[in-house]
Amino acid sequence: MEVTASSRHYVDRLFDPDPQKVLQGVIDMKNAVIGNNKQKANLIVLGAVPRLLYLLQQETSSTELKTECAVVLGSLAMGTENNVKSLLDCHIIPALLQGLLSPDLKFIEACLRCLRTIFTSPVTPEELLYTGPDHQTILFNHGAVQNIAHLLTSLSYKVRMQALKCFSVLAFENPQVSMTLVNVLVDGELLPQIFVKMLQRDKPIEMQLTSAKCLTYMCRAGAIRTDDNCIVLKTLPCLVRMCSKERLLEERVEGAETLAYLIEPDVELQRIASITDHLIAMLADYFKYPSSVSAITDIKRLDHDLKHAHELRQAAFKLYASLGANDEDIRKKIIETENMMDRIVTGLSESSVKVRLAAVRCLHSLSRSVQQLRTSFQDHAVWKPLMKVLQNAPDEILVVASSMLCNLLLEFSPSKEPILESGAVELLCGLTQSENPALRVNGIWALMNMAFQAEQKIKADILRSLSTEQLFRLLSDSDLNVLMKTLGLLRNLLSTRPHIDKIMSTHGKQIMQAVTLILEGEHNIEVKEQTLCILANIADGTTAKDLIMTNDDILQKIKYYMGHSHVKLQLAAMFCISNLIWNEEEGSQERQDKLRDMGIVDILHKLSQSPDSNLCDKWSFTLVAQAGVQWRDLGSLKPLPPEFK
């Protein structure tokens, strides 16, 4: 980069022994860099930044000199992203923060302006300033709420806006702050009432939007009920208004994304939003902007909007995902909106990661519908682009895409067969080895759904691709969801007698070891219940039951759980016994004799006195099994039905 003599002259003057000449040198430098990116770059290369920071922090420097240094640094920060990186490398943040302790308001303002410029740059790491819940709490504990609240009544619009923005940031996903804000009084008026006044139609759009965000965040944090009038009649309609095509692009984006966040967990708000101002149809315009006959006459604005149109598509997908999260009728309306499935499928291959993620989320939301899985998802062969997305995508997309795959593998989904034929087993088994627990859960969840009432070949493919070593790792996973879904997979693999015998003949030793480990471990009731249900299924096998009968350790564990204090575990253990002693089957007498010698019959008689009707019924059934009456409706327990994800 060319370094001119005049640029060097500016830097040399910063080292003059005369403080007055140094001050004049900084002022001249300030005038030289305004609007001149080349000059800014030259001065940075010549080492102006470390010297300016040194002068800014020296106690012997006059307040005027410190202020001028901060102004020049702020001007340098307004250049390129490389300029900001250079400033950060020189540790500018601590120096400017220290400057905020000065008693001089002009110097403080210059430091704040520079800090704001640096932190609005995308290259500045967020962790350098307060960004997380812990930092929100620090600000809260230091009286941020009380000190900012009175600024909402300032005569200056800019001050009111910055106060509003502070509250929106403080309240975001923070119940402690939000609960406090609800009860804060400003000039005798509660804060939520002030926010409601600020989102009225006669207020500036920026103020309406930010007030709506404050109320949205307080609602999501549990401080305001979802059926409160300030949410249903004020906040929600305001955010829908922001989605109108009369609004600027950034207003439409922020409005849609905030509305998506507001209604995401609440079915009633989703229903209200879906019928407010034809919102579902209104969002379709997000995909046509700017149009060839756009009313935008400002060339700069048109150029800006063309570069940012993808943000509209991202926001629309997010809002459609929230709208269709629960209600079947809303999903139907979304899918019937002009070319919507084509638009979502196209979104899966967009260059922007954020748009792709939003499109996958939208499809995932719509895939929680039996009807849509059988119709629209099949008509548009959604599984094809989804499998492509799963081949090579960042984790954030993989988590949502694999969740959606769980739904496409439900037994009533026409997509299940082609997905299986396209190598889904290997892909899902690969996900179970991910370091990301959400991907491990989704991989095993999808395999569980795949194994439900599956043919022997599919079950064998799953076991071969997964490997018993990986199965053991999953059964000892620290994530409870992974463990539960792995047990669900095992239970679905071990259903129907021929399948049980076949699988146990090849993997019986390892499966019995896994069952033993879980029953001996420190696990909750649900985990142990599922494990005992797996044992009950093994007990229904013709040859597989021998693996239980020849394992005294397992038999003692079943006996122990028959006497357990929790009814669910007692019932599951009794299912095992019922299948072992069924009188019609070969070897039943020997099995009954062994179990009688172990004292299990005595336990059954004790259970007959139980006040729990379920236990009494099961006890009666077990005696029927022992007597050999012609009645059979137990066998292996039903496999776990597939679940929407």
Side-chain angles (χ1 to χ4, degrees):
M1 185 180 292
E2 181 186 348
V3 179
T4 64
S6 61
S7 297
R8 183 170 295 282
H9 170 67
Y10 286 119
V11 177
D12 290 343
R13 291 170 69 187
L14 299 180
F15 293 88
D16 196 291
D18 184 343
Q20 202 57 39
K21 288 183 179 179
V22 173
L23 174 61
Q24 191 56 49
V26 175
I27 292 171
D28 291 345
M29 183 183 286
K30 175 182 70 175
N31 296 331
V33 297
I34 293 173
N36 190 333
N37 278 346
K38 186 176 180 182
Q39 187 70 277
K40 291 175 185 178
N42 285 343
L43 291 170
I44 289 172
V45 169
L46 288 166
V49 176
R51 184 61 182 174
L52 288 167
L53 285 171
Y54 173 80
L55 294 170
L56 182 139
Q57 297 177 85
Q58 281 301 297
E59 289 184 10
T60 54
S61 296
S62 67
T63 303
E64 187 180 4
L65 175 58
K66 289 180 180 180
T67 304
E68 292 294 345
C69 287
V71 171
V72 174
L73 289 165
S75 186
L76 294 176
M78 286 183 182
T80 65
E81 290 182 357
N82 283 332
N83 289 8
V84 177
K85 287 179 183 175
S86 298
L87 293 171
L88 292 171
D89 290 342
C90 292
H91 308 291
I92 190 172
I93 302 295
L96 292 172
L97 290 174
Q98 190 66 30
L100 301 182
L101 299 175
S102 167
D104 189 88
L105 287 178
K106 283 191 175 180
F107 178 46
I108 290 174
E109 185 180 349
C111 290
L112 285 171
R113 285 182 184 278
C114 188
L115 281 167
R116 183 180 63 183
T117 302
I118 291 169
F119 277 105
T120 52
S121 169
V123 301
T124 306
E126 290 181 352
E127 61 270 16
L128 289 176
L129 203 63
Y130 293 157
T131 53
D134 291 344
H135 297 137
Q136 288 172 320
T137 304
I138 290 169
L139 289 169
F140 173 77
N141 290 339
H142 281 77
V145 172
Q146 290 74 17
N147 283 301
I148 295 169
H150 74 278
L151 299 177
L152 290 171
T153 59
S154 169
L155 295 175
S156 166
Y157 170 77
K158 285 186 176 180
V159 172
R160 294 200 302 277
M161 272 311 306
Q162 294 309 319
L164 256 184
K165 288 177 180 178
C166 279
F167 280 131
S168 72
V169 171
L170 282 169
F172 182 65
E173 294 187 346
N174 194 312
Q176 182 187 19
V177 173
S178 295
M179 292 292 186
T180 302
L181 292 182
V182 170
N183 298 310
V184 169
L185 282 169
V186 181
D187 290 349
E189 201 168 16
L190 286 169
L191 211 50
Q193 295 169 341
I194 293 174
F195 292 154
V196 167
K197 285 183 178 178
M198 287 179 157
L199 56 72
Q200 290 173 355
R201 291 172 185 261
D202 61 339
K203 295 292 188 288
I205 295 299
E206 181 188 28
M207 182 173 278
Q208 290 184 48
L209 252 176
T210 312
S211 301
K213 285 172 81 170
C214 288
L215 290 163
T216 293
Y217 297 160
M218 290 164 71
C219 178
R220 283 298 308 266
I224 301 175
R225 290 169 55 96
T226 55
D227 59 357
D228 192 293
N229 283 346
C230 77
I231 297 297
V232 178
L233 302 181
K234 300 294 183 180
T235 307
L236 188 149
C238 171
L239 291 170
V240 172
R241 285 201 306 274
M242 296 302 137
C243 299
S244 164
K245 59 184 175 183
E246 280 74 40
R247 301 265 56 87
L248 293 175
L249 178 144
E250 48 267 37
E251 293 164 358
R252 296 171 78 185
V253 169
E254 200 169 354
E257 292 192 340
T258 307
L259 182 56
Y261 183 67
L262 172 65
I263 68 174
E264 185 180 23
D266 192 88
V267 186
E268 195 53 39
L269 286 181
Q270 290 159 14
R271 288 174 181 151
I272 294 168
S274 71
I275 57 171
T276 302
D277 292 348
H278 308 286
L279 177 63
I280 291 175
M282 191 192 301
L283 286 176
D285 288 334
Y286 278 46
F287 298 93
K288 310 170 190 174
Y289 184 85
S291 66
S292 55
V293 289
S294 177
I296 301 173
T297 53
D298 183 336
I299 297 300
K300 283 189 177 179
R301 164 56 64 175
L302 184 59
D303 181 58
H304 169 273
D305 285 4
L306 284 168
K307 289 177 181 174
H308 294 271
H310 67 278
E311 294 176 17
L312 275 175
R313 297 192 293 276
Q314 174 192 335
F317 286 142
K318 280 185 179 178
L319 185 44
Y320 276 139
S322 287
L323 284 165
N326 296 287
D327 190 279
E328 188 65 29
D329 291 334
I330 297 175
R331 291 191 194 112
K332 191 169 182 289
K333 285 179 187 174
I334 292 171
I335 286 173
E336 288 174 354
T337 302
E338 50 181 312
N339 305 320
M340 191 47 62
M341 286 301 288
D342 290 332
R343 284 170 176 156
I344 301 173
V345 169
T346 301
L348 295 177
S349 56
E350 283 217 24
S351 57
S352 165
V353 172
K354 289 183 177 179
V355 176
R356 293 207 306 274
L357 177 60
V360 174
R361 277 188 176 146
C362 184
L363 269 181
H364 179 222
S365 179
L366 299 175
S367 73
R368 296 192 188 105
S369 160
V370 175
Q371 182 186 358
Q372 300 309 331
L373 284 177
R374 286 176 170 163
T375 54
S376 302
F377 277 68
Q378 182 65 5
D379 296 342
H380 292 82
V382 169
W383 67 269
K384 288 183 181 178
L386 180 69
M387 291 300 287
K388 191 175 178 183
V389 167
L390 284 162
Q391 300 301 327
N392 184 24
D395 271 14
E396 57 183 342
I397 291 180
L398 271 180
V399 168
V400 187
S402 54
S403 292
M404 184 181 156
L405 191 60
C406 293
N407 295 346
L408 292 182
L409 286 168
L410 293 163
E411 86 277 14
F412 47 73
S413 168
S415 304
K416 182 174 181 177
E417 286 304 317
I419 288 173
L420 285 170
E421 291 166 7
S422 66
V425 173
E426 291 78 8
L427 187 150
L428 294 169
C429 289
L431 288 183
T432 68
Q433 299 179 38
S434 170
E435 291 183 8
N436 185 331
L439 287 176
R440 294 201 301 277
V441 168
N442 288 353
I444 206 71
W445 191 323
L447 289 170
M448 182 190 79
N449 282 359
M450 186 187 289
F452 179 73
Q453 296 182 346
E455 298 172 359
Q456 173 63 38
K457 179 184 179 303
I458 293 171
K459 293 182 177 181
D461 286 346
I462 292 172
L463 277 169
R464 184 176 59 254
S465 297
L466 192 61
S467 82
T468 48
E469 292 80 9
Q470 178 60 8
L471 192 63
F472 264 97
R473 280 193 286 271
L474 293 167
L475 288 171
S476 57
D477 200 291
S478 58
D479 189 291
L480 179 60
N481 288 324
V482 173
L483 174 56
M484 284 297 288
K485 293 304 172 196
T486 307
L487 291 172
L489 168 63
L490 259 181
R491 184 167 161 183
N492 284 357
L493 290 170
L494 294 167
S495 61
T496 73
R497 189 171 293 173
H499 294 180
I500 294 168
D501 287 334
K502 177 69 175 173
I503 290 170
M504 293 305 290
S505 69
T506 53
H507 298 85
K509 183 179 177 183
Q510 296 94 328
I511 290 172
M512 294 302 288
Q513 283 178 338
V515 165
T516 304
L517 282 172
I518 292 172
L519 291 178
E520 287 177 349
E522 294 293 323
H523 296 290
N524 65 27
I525 298 297
E526 286 70 26
V527 168
K528 295 204 171 183
E529 180 192 17
Q530 282 300 316
T531 308
L532 287 167
C533 288
I534 290 168
L535 267 182
N537 283 10
I538 295 170
D540 186 49
T542 304
T543 56
K545 57 167 52 78
D546 292 340
L547 288 164
I548 297 177
M549 291 305 302
T550 56
N551 189 326
D552 288 346
D553 185 28
I554 284 288
L555 288 172
Q556 287 295 338
K557 284 178 171 54
I558 295 172
K559 177 183 175 183
Y560 166 77
Y561 284 108
M562 287 178 72
H564 198 276
S565 59
H566 203 288
V567 174
K568 280 186 176 181
L569 297 183
Q570 288 181 291
L571 279 169
M574 289 173 72
F575 274 118
C576 296
I577 298 301
S578 295
N579 279 345
L580 288 172
I581 66 174
W582 193 258
N583 209 43
E584 295 174 15
E585 294 168 356
E586 187 179 345
S588 61
Q589 190 59 53
E590 290 83 354
R591 290 192 293 276
Q592 289 175 19
D593 291 343
K594 181 169 184 175
L595 294 174
R596 186 179 292 106
D597 292 343
M598 289 179 65
I600 284 177
V601 173
D602 293 338
I603 297 174
L604 287 173
H605 282 292
K606 284 181 185 175
L607 291 174
S608 68
Q609 311 301 317
S610 170
D612 189 289
S613 58
N614 285 327
L615 278 177
C616 286
D617 291 346
K618 188 73 208 101
W619 173 80
S620 303
F621 185 87
T622 305
L623 292 186
V624 168
Q626 190 177 359
V629 175
Q630 298 299 309
W631 170 40
R632 176 84 171 178
D633 66 355
L634 179 64
S636 57
L637 294 170
K638 289 182 180 178
L640 278 181
E643 302 172 59
F644 276 117
K645 179 78 168 71

